[in-house]
Amino acid sequence: FKKFAGIDVFDIEVDSEDAEEVIRFCELLEPTVGGINLEDIKAPDCFDIEKRLKASLEIPVFHDDQHGTAIIGAAALLNALDVIGKKVDEVKVAFSGAGASALATADHLEHMGVPRTNMLICDSKGVIYKGRTEGMNPYKEPYAVETEDRDLADAMRGADVFIGLSVRGVVTPEMVASMARDPIIMALANPDPEILPEEVAEVRDDAIMATGRSDYQNQVNNVLGFPFIFRGALDVRARGINEEMKLAATKALAELARQEVPESVVMAYGGEPIEFGREYLIPKPFDPRVLFWVAPAVAKAAMETGQARIQIDLDEYRDRLMASLGPGQEVMRSMVARARKSPKRVVMADGDHQRIIRAATQLVEEGVARPVLLGSEENISAHAEQMGVSLEGIEVIHPAREPETRERYAQELYGRRFRKGLTLSNARSDLYKPINFGGMMVHAGDADALVAGVESNYPEVIRPALQVVGRQDGVEHVAGLYMVARPEKELLFFADTTVNISPDANTLAEIALLSASFVKSLGIEPRIAMVSFSNFGSVRHPEVTKVQDALPFSPLRSPANILVFSTLSAANAAYKLMGQIGGAEVIGPVLLGMAKPVHVLQRGSTTQDVFNLATIAAVDAQKPGG
């Protein structure tokens, strides 16, 4: 609850096996707690306890052992049916197990569109059929159907779906072989499933498998559900959790699995590609996006069905949830909100690079910017199709196919730089290069900002950017800055991390002023400290002396948030160590001091890095003169 959804919880063990005592205990808690998540209560008591508490309490009550598996398993099933081309209202489903989770799953599937007559539920006595008396109870009775099938082997013959919530080894390879084409097998008994994926593979090469285990694909893990369901319910002060809210969670999880998986999630799971399909039907448990997909969907359903006590703005709520993931996300969501107010035209020089294309699609989806990709239309379209992303809302320009614009830019560039040795012929040649063409688009006002450098060395990009776009008036030295976001700590800013190798005192002072201006633009009070290896006066050395010369002695009244380093190597090492060892999120590099918004990516930047820097560029372009 706390780790995944930021919810404060109390784990209370109730020393009773009397349903009446448990009910009364929970009722007495209502004035204090916002909701109750029931755990580890056996059937049939769990049904009665939850039903009675939902009727008597005005707070959400949720038995995770029942509904968690139902919600997450149903999301996997929805996507599996889509992959194999079967309809939810036509499939035959066989269950092994008739406990709390199995009956709740059957109930949830019925709300999702699976007819009750299409479901055969088996317990230790066999199929639950009309007229059976042995081992029956009021909770199993509604699932009794007219059928000649009497055991699990009968139930699985010709079935499209198997859902196991029982015990290991109950399913045999022969049972799997008897199922319909493209069978969906969800063997969810823990820790050992009803049948192992490798056993299924021996008899069926068309089967889709899901288990409850993390060492196999398609893990149905309840942690994908209850933290986020309660987050959405609590944030609208819901009176309870109804079927519509559960279905909203299922559909949100199913839809999220269809989205492109961020590189951070891919790396967390070994670095192998993760793409929607037979082996990836539901999001990974440690995918941070689950929070801001499921919770808003649940909150929306609660508001639409009258369960919510308050109404909230869902866009603002989603942004707030994203910001809650950490200080880095918080500052970026603030930047995203600012960028959305007036989306700018951001040119991305490496337009045929997959990370650039992904970032551009995210910029469009978030409404942050109007991206322009520079490169071959054919290559970019081919990459987009291969990646399964849409180029809608993204403009593509190939400099080689823009002769009139290239000539206009070449004449302008030659007119500015002929006294520095640039010939018209060289200017024309340079305009075939995306970095130069993109820079001239920004300089000429045909675009608002430029982002470049995902597969280039930093000097290879910044040099032409300085030649084409230039510095701000009055600025002698540009500088690079990284935002360093530490868990539950104030945001820090490190400079210069990218440009000046050994800045002198005047350059250090200029870096400090540029950094302070940027930090102030974020609404943060800048407090600057210059960093060297010695306090004032303790060692005589040029690195210490230049820091002394850069600023007068002034004791800080509170901790600094801007650290200006005496050398590039120190600044670069510091921010990387903070990211790799210190557990901080680093955002940047932000290029300070340019005449127009130009930001240069570090080589190997992730899609998230590109998105962040493009968002900063869009906000930068909103400033007067930007």
Side-chain angles (χ1 to χ4, degrees), residues 411-445:
Q411 294 288 346
E412 168 67 19
L413 185 59
Y414 170 69
R416 289 169 47 218
R417 296 191 59 83
F418 74 93
R419 289 183 177 274
K420 296 184 179 180
L422 182 72
T423 66
L424 182 57
S425 175
N426 286 340
R428 286 170 173 156
S429 176
D430 286 345
L431 265 301
Y432 281 92
K433 301 172 184 176
I435 179 63
N436 296 73
F437 190 91
M440 282 304 301
M441 286 182 71
V442 174
H443 174 79

Coordinates of all heavy atoms in Angstrom, one line a residue, residues 411-445:
Q411 N 21.7 31.5 -47.0 CA 22.0 32.9 -47.2 C 22.0 33.6 -45.8 O 22.9 34.5 -45.6 CB 20.9 33.5 -48.1 CG 20.9 33.0 -49.5 CD 22.1 33.5 -50.3 OE1 22.8 34.4 -49.9 NE2 22.3 32.9 -51.5
E412 N 21.1 33.3 -44.9 CA 21.0 33.9 -43.6 C 22.2 33.6 -42.8 O 22.9 34.4 -42.2 CB 19.7 33.5 -42.9 CG 19.7 33.9 -41.4 CD 19.6 35.4 -41.1 OE1 19.3 36.1 -42.1 OE2 19.9 35.8 -40.0
L413 N 22.6 32.3 -42.8 CA 23.8 31.9 -42.0 C 25.1 32.5 -42.6 O 25.9 32.9 -41.8 CB 23.8 30.3 -42.1 CG 24.9 29.7 -41.2 CD1 24.7 30.1 -39.7 CD2 24.9 28.2 -41.4
Y414 N 25.2 32.5 -43.9 CA 26.4 33.1 -44.6 C 26.5 34.6 -44.2 O 27.6 35.1 -43.9 CB 26.3 32.9 -46.1 CG 27.3 33.7 -46.8 CD1 28.7 33.3 -46.7 CD2 27.0 34.8 -47.6 CE1 29.7 34.0 -47.4 CE2 27.9 35.5 -48.3 CZ 29.3 35.1 -48.2 OH 30.2 35.8 -48.9
G415 N 25.4 35.3 -44.2 CA 25.4 36.7 -43.9 C 25.8 37.0 -42.5 O 26.4 38.0 -42.2
R416 N 25.6 36.0 -41.6 CA 26.0 36.2 -40.2 C 27.4 35.8 -39.9 O 28.0 36.3 -39.0 CB 25.0 35.4 -39.3 CG 23.6 36.0 -39.2 CD 22.7 35.1 -38.5 NE 23.2 34.5 -37.2 CZ 23.0 33.3 -36.8 NH1 22.3 32.4 -37.5 NH2 23.6 32.8 -35.7
R417 N 27.9 34.8 -40.7 CA 29.2 34.2 -40.3 C 30.3 34.3 -41.4 O 31.4 33.7 -41.2 CB 29.0 32.8 -39.9 CG 28.1 32.6 -38.7 CD 28.2 31.1 -38.2 NE 29.5 30.7 -37.9 CZ 30.1 30.9 -36.7 NH1 29.5 31.6 -35.8 NH2 31.3 30.4 -36.5
F418 N 30.1 35.1 -42.4 CA 31.1 35.2 -43.5 C 32.4 35.8 -43.0 O 33.5 35.5 -43.4 CB 30.6 35.9 -44.7 CG 30.5 37.4 -44.6 CD1 31.5 38.2 -45.0 CD2 29.3 37.9 -44.1 CE1 31.4 39.6 -44.9 CE2 29.2 39.3 -44.0 CZ 30.2 40.1 -44.4
R419 N 32.3 36.7 -42.0 CA 33.5 37.3 -41.4 C 34.3 36.3 -40.5 O 35.4 36.6 -40.1 CB 33.1 38.6 -40.6 CG 32.7 39.7 -41.5 CD 32.4 41.0 -40.7 NE 32.1 42.1 -41.5 CZ 33.0 42.9 -42.0 NH1 34.3 42.7 -41.9 NH2 32.6 44.0 -42.8
K420 N 33.6 35.2 -40.2 CA 34.3 34.2 -39.4 C 34.8 33.0 -40.3 O 35.0 31.9 -39.7 CB 33.4 33.7 -38.3 CG 33.1 34.8 -37.3 CD 32.2 34.3 -36.1 CE 31.9 35.5 -35.2 NZ 31.1 35.0 -34.0
G421 N 34.9 33.2 -41.6 CA 35.4 32.2 -42.5 C 34.4 31.3 -43.1 O 34.9 30.4 -43.8
L422 N 33.1 31.5 -42.9 CA 32.1 30.6 -43.5 C 31.9 31.1 -44.9 O 31.5 32.2 -45.2 CB 30.9 30.6 -42.7 CG 29.8 29.7 -43.2 CD1 30.1 28.2 -43.0 CD2 28.4 30.0 -42.6
T423 N 32.0 30.1 -45.9 CA 31.7 30.5 -47.3 C 30.2 30.1 -47.5 O 29.6 29.3 -46.8 CB 32.6 29.7 -48.3 OG1 32.3 28.3 -48.1 CG2 34.1 29.9 -48.0
L424 N 29.6 30.7 -48.6 CA 28.3 30.3 -48.9 C 28.1 28.9 -49.3 O 27.1 28.2 -49.0 CB 27.8 31.2 -50.1 CG 26.3 31.0 -50.6 CD1 25.4 31.3 -49.4 CD2 26.0 31.9 -51.8
S425 N 29.2 28.3 -50.0 CA 29.1 26.9 -50.3 C 29.1 26.0 -49.1 O 28.3 25.1 -49.0 CB 30.4 26.6 -51.2 OG 30.4 25.2 -51.4
N426 N 29.9 26.4 -48.1 CA 29.9 25.6 -46.8 C 28.6 25.8 -46.1 O 28.1 24.8 -45.5 CB 31.0 26.1 -45.9 CG 32.4 25.6 -46.4 OD1 32.5 24.7 -47.2 ND2 33.5 26.3 -46.0
A427 N 28.0 26.9 -46.1 CA 26.7 27.2 -45.5 C 25.6 26.3 -46.1 O 24.8 25.6 -45.4 CB 26.3 28.6 -45.6
R428 N 25.6 26.2 -47.5 CA 24.7 25.4 -48.2 C 24.9 23.9 -47.8 O 23.9 23.2 -47.6 CB 24.8 25.6 -49.7 CG 24.3 26.9 -50.2 CD 24.6 27.2 -51.6 NE 24.0 28.3 -52.1 CZ 24.4 29.1 -53.2 NH1 25.5 28.7 -53.8 NH2 23.7 30.1 -53.6
S429 N 26.1 23.5 -47.7 CA 26.4 22.1 -47.4 C 26.0 21.8 -45.9 O 25.4 20.7 -45.7 CB 27.9 21.8 -47.5 OG 28.3 20.5 -47.1
D430 N 26.3 22.7 -45.0 CA 25.9 22.5 -43.6 C 24.4 22.3 -43.4 O 24.0 21.6 -42.5 CB 26.4 23.7 -42.8 CG 27.9 23.6 -42.6 OD1 28.5 22.6 -42.9 OD2 28.5 24.6 -42.2
L431 N 23.6 22.9 -44.2 CA 22.2 22.9 -44.0 C 21.5 21.6 -44.4 O 20.3 21.4 -44.2 CB 21.5 24.0 -44.8 CG 21.2 25.3 -44.0 CD1 20.3 25.0 -42.8 CD2 22.5 26.0 -43.5
Y432 N 22.3 20.6 -45.0 CA 21.9 19.3 -45.1 C 21.9 18.5 -43.8 O 21.2 17.5 -43.6 CB 22.7 18.5 -46.1 CG 22.4 18.8 -47.6 CD1 23.0 19.9 -48.3 CD2 21.4 18.1 -48.2 CE1 22.7 20.2 -49.6 CE2 21.0 18.5 -49.6 CZ 21.7 19.5 -50.2 OH 21.4 19.8 -51.5
K433 N 22.7 19.0 -42.8 CA 22.8 18.4 -41.5 C 21.6 18.8 -40.6 O 21.3 19.9 -40.5 CB 24.1 18.8 -40.9 CG 25.4 18.5 -41.7 CD 26.6 19.0 -41.1 CE 27.8 18.8 -41.9 NZ 29.0 19.5 -41.4
P434 N 20.9 17.8 -40.0 CA 19.8 18.1 -39.2 C 20.0 19.1 -38.1 O 19.2 19.9 -37.8 CB 19.4 16.7 -38.7 CG 19.9 15.7 -39.7 CD 21.1 16.3 -40.2
I435 N 21.2 19.0 -37.4 CA 21.4 19.9 -36.3 C 21.5 21.3 -36.8 O 21.0 22.3 -36.2 CB 22.7 19.5 -35.6 CG1 23.0 20.5 -34.4 CG2 23.9 19.4 -36.5 CD1 22.0 20.5 -33.4
N436 N 22.1 21.6 -38.0 CA 22.2 22.9 -38.5 C 20.9 23.4 -39.0 O 20.5 24.5 -38.8 CB 23.3 23.0 -39.7 CG 24.6 22.7 -39.2 OD1 25.0 21.5 -38.8 ND2 25.5 23.7 -39.1
F437 N 20.2 22.5 -39.7 CA 18.8 22.9 -40.3 C 17.9 23.2 -39.1 O 17.2 24.2 -39.2 CB 18.3 21.7 -41.1 CG 17.1 22.0 -41.9 CD1 17.2 22.5 -43.2 CD2 15.8 21.9 -41.4 CE1 16.0 22.9 -44.0 CE2 14.7 22.2 -42.1 CZ 14.8 22.7 -43.4
G438 N 17.9 22.3 -38.1 CA 17.0 22.5 -37.0 C 17.4 23.8 -36.2 O 16.5 24.6 -35.8
G439 N 18.7 24.1 -36.1 CA 19.1 25.3 -35.4 C 18.6 26.6 -36.2 O 18.2 27.6 -35.6
M440 N 18.7 26.5 -37.5 CA 18.2 27.6 -38.3 C 16.7 27.8 -38.3 O 16.2 28.9 -38.3 CB 18.7 27.5 -39.8 CG 20.2 27.9 -40.0 SD 20.6 29.5 -39.5 CE 19.5 30.5 -40.5
M441 N 16.0 26.7 -38.2 CA 14.5 26.8 -38.0 C 14.2 27.6 -36.7 O 13.3 28.5 -36.7 CB 13.9 25.4 -37.8 CG 13.8 24.6 -39.1 SD 13.0 23.0 -38.9 CE 11.3 23.4 -38.6
V442 N 14.9 27.3 -35.7 CA 14.7 28.0 -34.4 C 15.2 29.5 -34.5 O 14.5 30.4 -34.1 CB 15.4 27.3 -33.2 CG1 15.3 28.1 -32.0 CG2 14.9 25.9 -33.0
H443 N 16.3 29.7 -35.1 CA 16.9 31.1 -35.3 C 15.9 31.9 -36.1 O 15.7 33.1 -35.8 CB 18.2 31.0 -35.9 CG 18.8 32.4 -36.3 ND1 19.3 33.2 -35.3 CD2 18.8 33.1 -37.4 CE1 19.7 34.4 -35.9 NE2 19.4 34.3 -37.2
A444 N 15.4 31.3 -37.2 CA 14.5 32.1 -38.1 C 13.1 32.2 -37.6 O 12.2 32.9 -38.2 CB 14.5 31.4 -39.5
G445 N 12.8 31.6 -36.5 CA 11.4 31.6 -35.9 C 10.4 30.7 -36.6 O 9.2 30.7 -36.3

